[in-house]
Amino acid sequence: MGDEPMSNEENPPDPQGPGEVQGSPDPQSPPEPQRPTGPQSPQGGPGRRPGRFPGALPDETPAQAPAGDASGATPAEQPKQAGRQRLIAALWPPRVTRAQLIVALLLFVLGLGLAIQVRSNSDNSPLRGARQEDLVRILDELDNRTQRIEDEKQRLQSQRTELESSSDQAEEARKQTSEKARQLGILAGTVAAQGPGITLLVNDPHKTVQADMLLDTVQELRAAGAEAIQVNGVRVVGDTYFTDEGGRIQVDTEKISAPYTFKVIGKPTDLEPALNIPGGVVQTLEKEQATATVTPEQKIIVDALRPAKRPDYARSSAQ
């Protein structure tokens, strides 16, 4: 009431700091520019704490980190992250067109076909995985075949020489003709034969052996130098055939059943390796759950005969 002076609580101190005269500014004087000040303390001084005397240095404020995004990246790294995000957005999810799918499918099919072709070509050779001992044995067999051919050549040349130098050429010719007839009779199956060779016993408990497997066996034996072959009492000659007939195998006109016994006359050291080569007869039969046993013998008797057939049209051209 009246003219009582106002307390400090009703008149707060000037925010510009202590020591300055309070009063209303002159309306005609231009306002003074305000200086930037630090954070105000509760007592009204810039950066002052309660209890400090006027003129004290303001408290140091912690340095602020440079502005950036919420991940903590600096402004210099923001363009890199933005570019990476745009790249990821362009690649995922993938935008595949129908033409691209067709091209990818064709390329896949082409690559698969090439892989199958390369694998089939690499697996065609039965000697690809053969051991060194097996390869050596095969080479020995080829050498023996070459030697047999050379021996036959030498024998024929000797016969020719004897015919040319013999005083009784007619008698020598008859002797050689008789010997040749016996040899041809063995090959034709019209006469019995005996000599060293092997016995091949094929057991087929699961009935998986087919006629073509027995035919392959005969061909392999002939290539190894077999001179006479007999299968379950049937003589095998040049026109012998094997067929599957009613669950059994038929040789010419005779039906045979397991076990199949091959009696073969020839050089045992050539016949046995020929059957045991990698990918040969024995391995083929074993794949069909059959067993093949080869037994070399010094005397094999082939006594099954074939009747001699007179040709209907062929005649000898010798005069």
Side-chain angles (χ1 to χ4, degrees), residues 136-152 223-225 267-274:
V136 171
R137 187 170 56 187
I138 293 172
L139 290 176
D140 292 340
E141 180 185 349
L142 294 176
D143 293 339
N144 292 332
R145 292 181 185 179
T146 304
Q147 186 62 39
R148 287 197 304 270
I149 295 175
E150 291 293 333
D151 293 342
E152 181 68 16
K267 190 175 181 179
T269 55
D270 293 342
L271 298 174
E272 184 179 4

Side-chain angles (χ1 to χ4, degrees), residues 37-217:
T37 60
Q40 299 291 335
S41 64
Q43 299 297 329
R48 295 178 182 176
R49 294 183 180 178
R52 290 198 175 185
F53 57 88
L57 295 177
D59 293 339
E60 295 182 358
T61 57
Q64 297 182 359
D69 57 1
S71 62
T74 61
E77 295 177 351
Q78 288 182 2
K80 296 182 180 179
Q81 292 188 356
R84 189 181 299 110
Q85 292 175 357
R86 289 196 299 270
L87 178 61
I88 294 175
L91 296 178
W92 189 265
R95 299 176 179 85
V96 182
T97 63
R98 184 176 180 181
Q100 291 175 342
L101 286 176
I102 295 175
V103 172
L105 180 61
L106 292 177
L107 291 176
F108 173 77
V109 173
L110 179 61
L112 182 62
L114 290 176
I116 295 175
Q117 182 67 24
V118 170
R119 183 174 181 180
S120 62
N121 291 339
S122 62
D123 293 342
N124 283 338
S125 176
L127 304 180
R128 183 176 181 82
R131 299 175 301 174
Q132 183 177 2
E133 295 81 0
D134 297 331
L135 295 176
V136 171
R137 187 170 56 187
I138 293 172
L139 290 176
D140 292 340
E141 180 185 349
L142 294 176
D143 293 339
N144 292 332
R145 292 181 185 179
T146 304
Q147 186 62 39
R148 287 197 304 270
I149 295 175
E150 291 293 333
D151 293 342
E152 181 68 16
K153 177 182 176 181
Q154 293 292 335
R155 188 180 63 81
L156 293 176
Q157 289 178 351
S158 299
Q159 290 179 358
R160 186 184 66 179
T161 302
E162 291 176 359
L163 287 173
E164 292 175 353
S165 61
S166 176
S167 57
D168 192 353
Q169 294 183 356
E171 182 64 23
E172 185 65 26
R174 282 193 297 270
K175 184 175 68 175
Q176 293 188 7
T177 301
S178 178
E179 181 65 23
K180 191 66 174 179
R182 286 194 295 270
Q183 295 176 359
L184 293 176
I186 293 174
L187 297 177
T190 56
V191 297
Q194 65 178 12
I198 63 169
T199 299
L200 172 63
L201 180 62
V202 179
N203 289 310
D204 183 24
H206 302 284
K207 307 298 181 181
T208 56
V209 175
Q210 303 295 326
D212 58 341
M213 299 179 186
L214 299 185
L215 179 59
D216 291 341
T217 303

